Amino acid sequence: MKKQVEDKKAALLQASLKLFTENGFHGTSTAHISKEAGVATGTLFNYFPTKEDLINALYFDIKGKLSRSLAKDIQNQSTLHDKFWKIWYDLIEWGLNNQEDFHFVDQFCSSPYISDYTREVVMGEYSFYHDLVKDGIATGEFGDYSEGMVASIFYQSSRTIVDLILYSEPQDKNKAIEDGFAIIWKGLTEK
Amino acid sequence: MKKQVEDKKAALLQASLKLFTENGFHGTSTAHISKEAGVATGTLFNYFPTKEDLINALYFDIKGKLSRSLAKDIQNQSTLHDKFWKIWYDLIEWGLNNQEDFHFVDQFCSSPYISDYTREVVMGEYSFYHDLVKDGIATGEFGDYSEGMVASIFYQSSRTIVDLILYSEPQDKNKAIEDGFAIIWKGLTEK
DNA sequence: CCATTTATTGACTGATTAGTCATTTCGATC
DNA sequence: GATCGAAATGACTAATCAGTCAATAAATGG
């Protein structure tokens, strides 16, 4: 009866994702999650002993999926420019195609209910990104900006573009992605 | 007895700000707010008929204070570069010196409990900023980037720098502010 | 100092909360 | 089809929730 187990666990995660992003952590009751997932209130606690375990599992799953999707095929890109362009494009496409995941990360990335342990494990999955940033600084391509500066500006700007496309100008999607990258890449690399 | 009134109202707003940013909207009970403010539970509802009125008042006050602080003396700056530099610097200094306000805006800028009316009124206070962006585009200084693109990238990047200084490298504060501006300004203006 | 208004109080309410647990249902194996 | 362990259930609990309101206190004006 493995199949059933996965079904209900996945349904609970999906319901939580929807309700947490809509109403926040405290704004979502476990009863509501159970109902949305189509299971009894007690069943939720068979899979996730506490409400916090649920939000940690979501954070772990979503950030993990994203990191694997970003890391894939990166080594096939020859130049640093192409690698960062691929990450930029994939980040934004992921945000646009997985809006619930995107908004969940936005809302809960600094939530006190995500444990330090979850955060550390997830952080480790992004070392490939930080290594790329370090490379760019070591080769002089990124001037003398600090690693944190480059990593944060690049990542946060990609999220800005997703919001921009979602809420302001969905018609110019590709131009917005390209313009955004042009701005940030120019800023980071031009002397 | 006007004095007393202002005292308690201000105390309630201050307590709400602290608790909302720490524990979220639903994570903060009205009883907890009253206690923190040093008033009875009933008193809270004399000033703010509902919990949502409280968060709307906070949003209105904080964003209003910020807009007035940013708009001040902008016309004394002669070039577009200097105007944007002043806004950049003031935004970041405001974030660093008013961390609770900063995190409140971060957390609740897209909260469903902030009414459309509050949002509209507040938005109107930032027209000076959007006019500056329009100027830069009209004069060709910002290339052919869209207004939304320039306004969002600039504003969000300033917030990124605040986070960076607060959580990564507080020692290099001024370099971080200057480097961040250099990156964004180069990206926006260089052809 | 009285009268009237206005601000403050906290016990109270009905609804809702996260989490429990005794019971029932299910699915596999013989 | 009998047996057994795991999975699912929902009524239940003690705590907490936003908001009310009748009673009290304080301030104001005459």
Side-chain angles (χ1 to χ4, degrees), chain B residues 64-84:
Chain B
K65 255 190 323 184
L66 174 59
S67 81
R68 286 186 292 279
S69 139
L70 291 178
K72 219 178 77 173
D73 303 330
I74 270 298
Q75 69 279 13
N76 295 345
Q77 307 299 318
S78 49
T79 65
L80 198 71
H81 172 280
D82 290 352
K83 286 179 210 270
F84 273 93

Side-chain angles (χ1 to χ4, degrees), chain A residues 123-150:
Chain A
M123 186 110 74
E125 299 210 67
Y126 288 85
S127 54
F128 80 94
Y129 173 62
H130 294 281
D131 287 346
L132 271 185
V133 172
K134 275 180 205 150
D135 277 2
I137 290 170
T139 62
E141 223 154 337
F142 286 148
D144 74 331
Y145 299 128
S146 74
E147 190 196 330
M149 172 74 69
V150 175

Side-chain angles (χ1 to χ4, degrees), chain A residues 48-61:
Chain A
F48 306 97
T50 70
K51 207 180 164 186
E52 294 198 6
D53 289 329
L54 246 176
I55 202 172
N56 275 271
L58 276 176
Y59 186 82
F60 181 84
D61 287 359

Side-chain angles (χ1 to χ4, degrees), chain A:
Chain A
M1 81 169 309
K2 190 69 187 309
K3 193 60 189 305
Q4 271 282 43
V5 166
E6 286 303 321
D7 276 350
K8 293 199 200 283
K9 192 168 183 177
L12 283 163
L13 284 169
Q14 193 184 330
S16 303
L17 172 60
K18 180 187 168 194
L19 296 172
F20 282 157
T21 53
E22 271 175 11
N23 311 112
F25 182 70
H26 288 289
T28 302
S29 68
T30 53
H32 196 174
I33 295 170
S34 303
K35 197 177 176 185
E36 174 84 20
V39 304
T41 66
T43 304
L44 186 152
F45 295 97
N46 287 343
Y47 296 101
F48 306 97
T50 70
K51 207 180 164 186
E52 294 198 6
D53 289 329
L54 246 176
I55 202 172
N56 275 271
L58 276 176
Y59 186 82
F60 181 84
D61 287 359
I62 290 172
K63 287 281 258 186
K65 255 190 324 183
L66 174 60
S67 81
R68 286 186 290 279
S69 139
L70 290 179
K72 219 179 75 173
D73 303 331
I74 270 297
Q75 70 279 13
N76 295 345
Q77 308 298 318
S78 49
T79 64
L80 198 73
H81 173 279
D82 289 352
K83 286 179 210 271
F84 273 93
W85 163 252
K86 186 176 189 312
I87 291 174
W88 179 269
Y89 189 84
D90 287 351
L91 257 173
I92 293 169
E93 280 293 330
W94 174 84
L96 295 173
N97 297 328
N98 305 273
Q99 295 184 28
E100 272 181 354
D101 292 16
F102 177 80
H103 285 122
F104 177 84
V105 172
D106 231 18
Q107 274 189 54
F108 297 105
C109 70
S110 50
S111 159
Y113 309 107
I114 310 269
S115 73
D116 288 347
Y117 176 73
T118 301
R119 234 177 265 283
E120 269 170 43
V121 174
V122 165
M123 186 110 74
E125 299 210 67
Y126 288 85
S127 54
F128 80 94
Y129 173 62
H130 294 281
D131 287 346
L132 271 185
V133 172
K134 275 180 205 150
D135 277 2
I137 290 170
T139 62
E141 223 154 337
F142 286 148
D144 74 331
Y145 299 128
S146 74
E147 190 196 330
M149 172 74 69
V150 175
S152 299
I153 287 273
F154 186 87
Y155 173 72
Q156 294 298 342
S157 294
S158 80
R159 301 191 72 81
T160 301
I161 302 298
V162 175
D163 271 328
L164 197 64
I165 293 171
L166 288 179
Y167 300 114
S168 311
E169 38 189 328
Q171 67 282 12
D172 287 12
K173 195 187 96 165
N174 280 319
K175 182 177 187 318
I177 299 179
E178 288 158 17
D179 281 359
F181 185 79
I183 292 169
I184 299 304
W185 190 255
K186 226 185 300 166
L188 289 175
T189 59
E190 227 133 287
K191 83 134 201 55

